[in-house]
Amino acid sequence: EIVMTQSPDSLAVSLGERATINCKSSQSVLYSSNNKNYLAWYQQKPGLPPKLLISWASTRASGVPDRFSGSGSGTDFSLTISSLQAEDVAVYYCHQYYSPPLTFGGGTKVEIK
Amino acid sequence: EVQLVESGGGLVQPGGSLRLSCVASGFTLSRYWMHWVRQAPGEGLVWVSRINSDGSTIDYADSVKGRFTISRDNAENTLYLQMNSLRVEDTAFYYCARDDRSGLYGDYVGYWGQGTLVTVSS
């Protein structure tokens, strides 16, 4: 099983400032035959199901603001919110779909400082 | 519009069984891999199981293997999760979810239902 480790568990950022969340996988999720990283990011607000933000490590889902960006390859990945807005307060999860059993990171709670 | 509506949750005693259903609408169920993902109250997301478009390929998390069975009825636009030998630690919201894109190979989850709560307690 691929273990996904996120850091930090929580972070508080001022409005308009940058927030960065890290995700490390216990083995590579880069598929060599197509050079794609099987890594997604989700945002979950209280009382709601998760929402897809990023797939293939860096491809924003439809309708996701461009202040959200994903980067990384192999085993180390990041989600960056370039200018935090009040509506970005949520828990963020990374997720590998490279091989079953599929796994999620433990989540990172983002709050306003 | 893609819609996934779960039902079947409730209170069950340890060792008991429950069957969850997920009715899909707004798309052709037979074209997509489908998943169950759970979340204990106040905790993180845990992937449970997935099934390919025709039911011929199924994967499970180790924690539920041998106790839970995923299945689908494409003609009825419904996904199922049969849960047996339930444990207190199975208490969670159970989300039905769909791959973002249709295809032969499993993909990332793009759509989620609202979830149904399963409580295992004596």
Side-chain angles (χ1 to χ4, degrees):
Chain A
E1 172 177 317
I2 299 176
V3 177
M4 308 299 289
T5 303
Q6 285 183 236
S7 62
D9 292 337
S10 65
L11 75 162
V13 176
S14 300
L15 288 172
E17 296 301 304
R18 179 185 299 260
T20 300
I21 300 166
N22 300 303
C23 174
K24 187 174 184 68
S25 57
S26 61
Q27 63 189 74
S28 177
V29 297
L30 174 63
Y31 193 36
S32 57
S33 66
N34 59 10
N35 201 36
K36 285 188 170 185
N37 288 284
Y38 284 58
L39 189 285
W41 289 95
Y42 296 89
Q43 174 194 65
Q44 188 178 31
K45 296 181 180 180
L48 294 177
K51 172 189 172 185
L52 176 68
L53 293 178
I54 303 279
S55 61
W56 308 115
S58 61
T59 301
R60 265 190 309 276
S62 175
V64 173
D66 60 7
R67 63 180 180 273
F68 291 92
S69 63
S71 63
S73 184
T75 61
D76 291 279
F77 302 89
S78 295
L79 174 71
T80 298
I81 310 172
S82 61
S83 175
L84 191 74
Q85 304 299 303
E87 60 265 33
D88 300 335
V89 169
V91 179
Y92 294 83
Y93 297 91
C94 61
H95 169 59
Q96 69 81 16
Y97 48 101
Y98 178 84
S99 68
L102 309 189
T103 47
F104 289 90
T108 296
K109 187 174 186 178
V110 174
E111 299 173 306
I112 305 296
K113 185 187 291 182
Chain B
E1 180 194 2
V2 173
Q3 286 201 340
L4 301 167
V5 180
E6 304 93 337
S7 62
L11 176 63
V12 61
Q13 292 188 336
S17 298
L18 215 53
R19 188 174 86 155
L20 305 183
S21 300
C22 169
V23 176
S25 61
F27 66 98
T28 304
L29 182 66
S30 62
R31 295 181 181 173
Y32 293 88
W33 287 69
M34 298 293 294
H35 306 249
W36 289 100
V37 178
R38 70 184 181 184
Q39 184 172 38
E43 302 295 323
L45 301 170
V46 177
W47 178 83
V48 172
S49 180
R50 71 175 180 178
I51 184 169
N52 73 334
S53 56
D54 66 3
S56 59
T57 300
I58 289 173
D59 297 302
Y60 294 102
D62 289 346
S63 58
V64 306
K65 202 174 291 183
R67 300 188 299 124
F68 290 12
T69 302
I70 189 172
S71 63
R72 62 194 297 158
D73 185 336
N74 289 335
E76 294 294 325
N77 295 313
T78 304
L79 175 74
Y80 300 100
L81 186 67
Q82 176 67 43
M83 304 185 294
N84 298 331
S85 303
L86 281 161
R87 305 168 180 168
V88 170
E89 55 265 34
D90 295 319
T91 295
F93 287 93
Y94 283 75
Y95 293 103
C96 167
R98 195 203 85 175
D99 262 13
D100 190 54
R101 306 172 304 173
S102 61
L104 283 177
Y105 303 104
D107 214 18
Y108 54 91
V109 169
Y111 296 88
W112 301 72
Q114 293 299 309
T116 185
L117 179 60
V118 172
T119 303
V120 185
S121 174
S122 54

